[in-house]
Amino acid sequence: MRNGRWTRTTAALALAALLAGCGGGGSGNVSLPGGSGSALAPGGVGSTPAPSPSGQCSLASRQQWAEAQIREWYLFPELLAASVNPASFSNLDDFIDALVAPARAQGRDRFFTYVTSIAGEDAFNRSGQTAGFGFRLAFDGERLVVTESFENTPALSAGIDRGAEILAIGTSMGNLRTISDILASGGSTALNDALGPNTAGTTRALRFRTVDGAVREENVAKADYALLPVSSRYGARVIDDGGRRVGYLNLRTFISSADAPLRQAFADFRAQGITELVVDFRYNGGGLINTAELLVDLMGRDRTASDILSRTRFRPEKSSSNTLRYFRPLPEAVAPMRIAFIGTGASASASELVINAMQPYLRTRMALVGTNTFGKPVGQIGLDRAVCDDRLRVVALQVENADNRGDYYNGLATTLDVTCQATDDLTRPLGDPGEASIRRALDFLAGRACTPIGASASAGEGSEQAMTTRAGLAREHMLVTPDNPDAAQREVPGLF
């Protein structure tokens, strides 16, 4: 999968606008030499745009522009291909992939450098705006299952929620095809084709089995919706665990619209005297750095303005852009004594930044619960060419914690003091204290022993399908990834 990013806003790089990258900061992007500013058009989602083939948006022109930006800003210039013939490629994505292939071979850039739509990414980063059925899909063996459905979406309205199995798909009830038949005809590409484009009004007939065993058939039309980064059903709550009160937070993605509900959640935790937390990142593929830093600040009531939250560094020639981020006091912040972070192979980027940032201060008082994380300690800046609706996300920075640790390309499990192995139990809702990963997290907070996450659950190699073939997803669930993900699908693994 061409994975999500984290985004940085920093005055040092705000040459004309904001700097966006793999995990933090506003909905803006950077305009740098060679770029042409931001296009902040609302709405519209999509993957790499298809502009006019002539003039300044011809394929050759876009290739030339993208290569110039990559060679100027890439974090690992020594790992760029010395010479790539642009005429050998029929699209921009493949050309960029060829440029960064040496870095990918070393696991440093697993399709983190790419071009996306300015309008589509801005719409999602600001408000979660996207289009589709509104669920996450994963494989559990040969079964196509729903790991999560989002509020105010066609999927949830049709009764499709976590734990449901999609049995068959068709354009009408008269031509329903089983999932096994679809996969046999063309693998994941056939499945993506069967699900149809993410445009409002696209309708599919779905046969599915709910978690209680009932089989239903529904015609479901895709629609525009705003994905809530913190679920209104289970995103933030207080769990009573045998008399111990624990704050539970489930964050789906790091986007600007998460900031307000995060502040509200922690204000509620603080008002109730919560000092132990379960932070659920199990499907969180990343997002904005500023939102990640906000979350860390909200868990830093006992930190001071001299405590380092993170260090951001660029390649040596761009070292003037390096930054040092300290904790900032917030009125909603809590001082957690213990935190259990729930993660999987889909937990990437900004999710890992948060966990890594807390490690120097909590040590054995925090744990990674579930399976190993993805392994993405690098971030992208966003370089815009508005005339073509092109935003180039180029790996340009690395983030380290207060201990100068940020080399977790193989996931966080081997870098943390405490890990606890757990599965992702689709038979129970997220937020349910009886769900396997949450139960294990509560056990850790209560001081009970657990089995560490083993090396076999490591993030693994940097293959093209790294996000979805990772051993991390509870060793059972492999999130489905489209061949050409749109802006929302890059940030929300498994989204359809």
Side-chain angles (χ1 to χ4, degrees):
M1 170 180 176
R2 302 168 192 274
N3 180 33
R5 69 203 149 68
W6 7 294
T7 300
R8 162 71 63 188
T9 299
T10 170
L13 278 173
L15 304 186
L18 298 175
L19 175 63
C22 75
S27 59
N29 52 290
V30 68
S31 286
L32 295 170
S36 57
S38 321
L40 297 178
V45 291
S47 54
T48 304
S52 168
S54 60
Q56 58 187 324
C57 291
S58 67
L59 176 58
S61 175
R62 296 170 76 209
Q63 289 172 324
Q64 182 180 25
W65 172 78
E67 182 172 9
Q69 309 313 309
I70 291 171
R71 293 201 181 278
E72 178 179 359
W73 285 97
Y74 201 62
L75 182 60
F76 314 109
E78 72 282 2
L79 295 180
L80 290 172
S83 179
V84 177
N85 180 11
S88 301
F89 301 91
S90 60
N91 62 75
L92 186 56
D93 289 330
D94 290 345
F95 173 68
I96 291 173
D97 289 346
L99 281 174
V100 303
R104 187 169 65 250
Q106 294 193 20
R108 292 296 188 264
D109 187 346
R110 285 170 277 161
F111 298 96
F112 305 151
T113 299
Y114 57 86
V115 171
T116 191
S117 161
I118 297 170
E121 186 177 86
D122 284 344
F124 182 72
N125 281 342
R126 281 195 304 265
S127 62
Q129 188 65 39
T130 186
F133 295 125
F135 51 34
R136 295 187 202 256
L137 294 178
F139 284 110
D140 183 357
E142 297 299 317
R143 301 166 64 242
L144 182 63
V145 295
V146 176
T147 63
E148 183 176 23
S149 286
F150 307 114
E151 294 76 21
N152 307 311
T153 63
L156 202 56
S157 297
I160 305 173
D161 204 352
R162 177 174 170 84
E165 179 185 359
I166 307 299
L167 302 172
I169 304 170
T171 56
S172 69
M173 292 299 177
N175 61 14
L176 281 167
R177 299 172 62 199
T178 66
I179 300 303
S180 58
D181 180 50
I182 293 170
L183 293 173
S185 71
S188 60
T189 299
L191 178 61
N192 279 283
D193 291 343
L195 290 165
N198 280 347
T199 53
T202 299
T203 301
R204 290 293 184 267
L206 301 177
R207 179 185 298 141
F208 59 94
R209 180 184 292 112
T210 63
V211 72
D212 60 6
V215 175
R216 296 174 50 188
E217 293 181 350
E218 297 282 350
N219 286 304
V220 185
K222 297 185 179 184
D224 294 317
Y225 65 94
L227 188 150
L228 298 180
V230 179
S231 170
S232 58
R233 295 183 290 161
Y234 48 75
R237 56 174 302 201
V238 173
I239 295 173
D240 186 335
D241 183 35
R244 294 171 48 258
R245 293 171 59 76
V246 175
Y248 173 82
L249 175 75
N250 184 301
L251 183 64
R252 290 163 166 165
T253 185
F254 291 83
I255 56 179
S256 296
S257 57
D259 293 3
L262 285 175
R263 286 179 176 269
Q264 184 60 56
F266 278 85
D268 292 343
F269 292 157
R270 179 164 175 166
Q272 297 185 59
I274 298 300
T275 60
E276 295 185 322
L277 297 171
V278 174
V279 179
D280 198 336
F281 288 149
R282 74 182 71 195
Y283 308 130
N284 192 318
L288 303 176
I289 288 179
N290 283 9
T291 298
E293 291 171 338
L294 170 65
L295 178 53
V296 177
D297 283 333
L298 288 168
M299 297 185 290
R301 183 181 176 186
D302 54 347
R303 305 269 59 85
T304 70
S306 62
D307 287 330
I308 294 172
L309 187 154
S310 64
R311 294 179 171 87
T312 300
R313 66 171 182 83
F314 290 73
R315 60 197 264 184
E317 306 95 297
K318 301 291 186 181
S319 60
S320 61
S321 298
N322 293 354
T323 60
L324 192 60
R325 172 61 153 83
Y326 294 93
F327 278 83
R328 297 171 182 170
L330 296 177
E332 307 92 346
V334 302
M337 296 300 296
R338 293 165 73 86
I339 304 177
F341 291 100
I342 297 177
T344 67
S347 306
S349 196
S351 298
E352 294 171 304
L353 184 157
V354 171
I355 300 170
N356 193 51
M358 294 301 295
Q359 169 70 359
Y361 300 103
L362 291 179
R363 301 294 181 187
T364 59
R365 293 185 292 123
M366 62 172 266
L368 173 65
V369 177
T371 53
N372 198 4
T373 61
F374 181 75
K376 184 177 184 288
V378 294
Q380 298 100 302
I381 59 172
L383 303 167
D384 283 1
R385 198 178 188 206
V387 68
C388 304
D389 190 37
D390 278 346
R391 175 167 293 160
L392 176 65
R393 286 294 178 192
V394 54
V395 168
L397 58 96
Q398 182 160 5
V399 178
E400 300 171 343
N401 64 17
D403 291 338
N404 297 303
R405 300 194 67 173
D407 195 25
Y408 46 85
Y409 290 97
N410 290 320
L412 287 170
T414 59
T415 72
L416 302 178
D417 294 324
V418 183
T419 65
C420 294
Q421 186 175 304
T423 58
D424 183 18
D425 180 7
L426 294 182
T427 67
R428 291 180 179 266
L430 293 168
D432 184 336
E435 189 276 326
S437 289
I438 299 175
R439 181 67 263 162
R440 189 58 49 81
L442 294 171
D443 286 344
F444 163 75
L445 296 177
R448 289 185 279 272
C450 65
T451 301
I453 297 170
S456 61
S458 69
E461 311 306 322
S463 65
E464 180 168 358
Q465 297 300 322
M467 175 67 87
T468 53
T469 59
R470 201 123 336 261
L473 267 179
R475 302 180 186 173
E476 302 155 353
H477 309 141
M478 186 173 70
L479 293 177
V480 180
T481 304
D483 295 331
N484 295 294
D486 62 30
Q489 289 171 320
R490 290 183 186 275
E491 303 303 330
V492 184
L495 178 66
F496 282 90

